[in-house]
Amino acid sequence: MADISKVPYSRIEIKKYKDIISPVLYNEILTLGEKLKRIKIAVVNSTASGGGVAEILKSLIPMFESIGINIAWYVTRTEPNFFSTTKKLHNLLQGQQGKFSDKELKQYIDTNKQIAEQLKQLNSDVLIINDPQPLSAGAEVCKKFKTVWHCHVDTSFVNEWARAMIVPFVNKYSRVIFSLSEYELEGINKDKLLFFPPAIDPLSLKNVIINRDFAENMLRRFKIDPRRPILVQISRFDHWKDPLGVIKSYLQVRKHFPDSQLILTGSLPEDDPEAIQVIQEIKDKTINDENIFILSDRDGLGSIEINALQTIADVVIQKSKREGFGLTVTEAMWKKNPVVGGKTGGIKVQIEDGISGFLVETIEQCTNAVITLLKDVNLKTRMGEKAKESVREKYLMPRLLRDYMLMLIGMT
Ligand code: UDP
């Protein structure tokens, strides 16, 4: 049986963000907050840790609460193999070929009906559902709540079967949020649509600015040598993130920088059963290479260790082939580390090619961009400054809070 459970989270004080964002945005948030004091919001997704959505909710929800808004966070609890079906839906939405079998479709609909029974018990006015896993559950309860579907997936190359399957559910919602306008799906009523990108929390353990010595010491624990060049990609282990392409590129870079190291680290979230297969595939391919480190949250890499890696990396790579947004890119840029990123989805919006990082499509382009940054530290510093300023302007959590509040005011 599927159900939902409430997620605990740490408190946040909005006034701590006052000096990081503009006074105009800070005051706007407080004013909008006054207008939303009476509504109750419930937010639902499929995992409390690992991956971008959990990362956003961990900060966005307590930030809402810090301005006096009544909000609660729930995750769905389902049979483990439900996530094999929903990962397939995720892949189809990102453009993979194929479709659900009758059994998978039945499992998706039935599990969501069970989740919907639990959602009906919530004492809320607005229900915000994240991503495709609980999508049809939200559609089931659209008469009881005002409903919002927030899709974080890159749907620019959507599989037609998947599009046709989800659109009737999506159209039952009051509002639908995509990170970019190019993700709009044919058939969704235009008057429901909103486009705004996600954001990072500059004061979370993942993003708070830490000192280099502290970061270096932390990484020695994993046998990473901070005196040698470090290349990293930090991602879920997912073929859309092209970890094998990153390894190929690193092997080319190593011809020029023989003492360089590659670190591929990824979380293994509960709702991504493919991650275990992908990490195994990578480990098998790199087993005899002591300069390639394959790590995960299960090796003790939490938020502060990821922060340390993003802080001291000589080059951060995010060579995705599809990317809804790419918080890992934002996180590195916030630490003044320009990123070599795949020219796709949210990455191409975040990186100004040649100015605040490099956009690449092929292994050769990736290799050349990495070598350029390794050779030219002054260029890296200049790009890093630009990268940080663009995150400050566009991709910090208070801006996302403001966009959400404007949406909610328009609905109530
Ligand atoms: N992440 C992490 N540990 C890892 C790998 C990733 O904490 O080993 C975090 C990463 O810092 C980011 C999130 O997971 O906050 C990934 O978000 P992104 O938008 O880049 O990708 P998604 O997983 O949502 O596709």
Side-chain angles (χ1 to χ4, degrees), residues 50-53 55 90 152 200 206 234-238 241 265-269 295-297 301-303 306 310 318 323-329 331:
V53 178
E55 188 72 23
H90 171 97
H152 302 265
I200 59 162
K206 173 84 51 77
I234 296 162
S235 282
R236 277 181 303 105
F237 287 105
D238 181 326
K241 315 273 185 183
T265 171
S267 44
L268 300 168
L295 299 167
S296 80
D297 44 353
L301 265 107
S303 294
I306 298 293
Q310 290 168 332
Q318 188 57 58
E323 193 63 73
F325 184 66
L327 290 175
T328 51
V329 173
E331 290 160 3

Side-chain angles (χ1 to χ4, degrees), residues 154-310:
D154 177 347
T155 50
S156 32
F157 299 89
V158 70
N159 167 303
E160 179 50 28
W161 181 88
R163 187 201 63 79
M165 196 280 265
I166 69 162
V167 161
F169 297 125
V170 179
N171 273 334
K172 296 224 161 109
Y173 282 75
S174 320
R175 295 285 186 280
V176 177
I177 308 167
F178 289 103
S179 299
L180 308 182
S181 56
E182 69 193 55
Y183 296 164
E184 175 178 346
L185 292 178
E186 201 191 319
I188 299 180
N189 299 342
K190 289 204 185 289
D191 54 0
K192 299 177 189 297
L193 283 167
L194 289 156
F195 305 100
F196 48 80
I200 59 162
D201 180 353
L203 297 181
S204 67
L205 265 189
K206 173 84 51 77
N207 295 312
V208 70
I209 301 307
I210 56 172
N211 142 329
R212 200 180 160 92
D213 288 346
F214 173 73
E216 287 187 359
N217 282 333
M218 193 170 317
L219 295 177
R220 285 201 173 88
R221 184 153 58 92
F222 301 94
K223 307 219 167 16
I224 298 165
D225 183 350
R227 289 160 308 178
R228 290 165 45 204
I230 295 175
L231 279 55
V232 295
Q233 174 158 299
I234 296 162
S235 282
R236 277 181 303 105
F237 287 105
D238 181 326
H239 285 306
W240 295 114
K241 315 273 185 183
D242 199 16
L244 298 176
V246 175
I247 292 170
K248 282 187 191 152
S249 183
Y250 164 69
L251 294 176
Q252 296 300 317
V253 170
R254 200 160 67 181
K255 292 183 185 156
H256 303 263
F257 291 88
D259 61 343
S260 59
Q261 311 156 84
L262 173 67
I263 294 133
L264 292 179
T265 171
S267 44
L268 300 168
E270 205 194 349
D271 64 349
D272 184 357
E274 281 175 4
I276 296 281
Q277 295 154 27
V278 177
I279 193 173
Q280 196 51 50
E281 203 180 317
I282 300 168
K283 281 186 173 169
D284 290 345
K285 285 214 156 64
T286 56
I287 193 156
N288 293 320
D289 195 325
E290 58 185 25
N291 293 312
I292 301 182
F293 298 75
I294 313 293
L295 299 167
S296 80
D297 44 353
R298 297 185 190 173
D299 298 299
L301 265 107
S303 294
I304 194 75
E305 288 81 11
I306 298 293
N307 184 337
L309 272 173
Q310 290 168 332

Side-chain angles (χ1 to χ4, degrees), residues 315-319 338-342 351 357-358 360 365-366 369-370 373:
V315 183
V316 176
I317 304 170
Q318 188 57 58
K319 205 193 153 302
V339 176
V340 175
I351 297 176
F358 288 107
V360 298
Q365 288 171 354
C366 181
V370 170
L373 287 173

